[in-house]
Amino acid sequence: MTMRRALGLSLAGLMILVGALWTGQGLGWIGGSSMSGESFWAIVGPIVAGLGVALIITIVGRARRDDGTDLDKRYGGRR
């Protein structure tokens, strides 16, 4: 796995976690913050998490399209 791909996947995972946290706070499931119960965070959270998922899909899709990637060698992709 290349450094660029690893960084992208790490960023995407962080976006999903932060988006889930913000969603929980916005919906009032996670208390103790000024963000708790604010509908703004209940809207922004899923958007950020969705962008994280889209980033993962993009990175994995590009890795599968490139010839000679690790995924092709490991899982019998293009030859």
Side-chain angles (χ1 to χ4, degrees):
M1 177 180 297
T2 65
M3 178 66 81
R4 186 175 182 180
R5 191 179 317 151
L7 287 173
L9 290 173
S10 297
L11 176 64
L14 183 63
M15 289 172 69
I16 292 169
L17 290 175
V18 168
L21 175 66
W22 287 353
T23 301
Q25 287 177 325
L27 294 174
W29 297 343
I30 302 170
S33 170
S34 62
M35 295 167 59
S36 297
E38 295 290 329
S39 61
F40 174 79
W41 298 110
I43 295 168
V44 171
I47 292 171
V48 171
L51 289 172
V53 170
L55 182 58
I56 288 175
I57 291 170
T58 301
I59 291 169
V60 170
R62 281 189 181 170
R64 288 181 169 225
R65 274 194 307 267
D66 293 342
D67 290 332
T69 62
D70 293 341
L71 291 175
D72 291 333
K73 291 175 187 173
R74 282 189 201 155
Y75 303 113
R78 294 182 186 177
R79 296 175 197 240

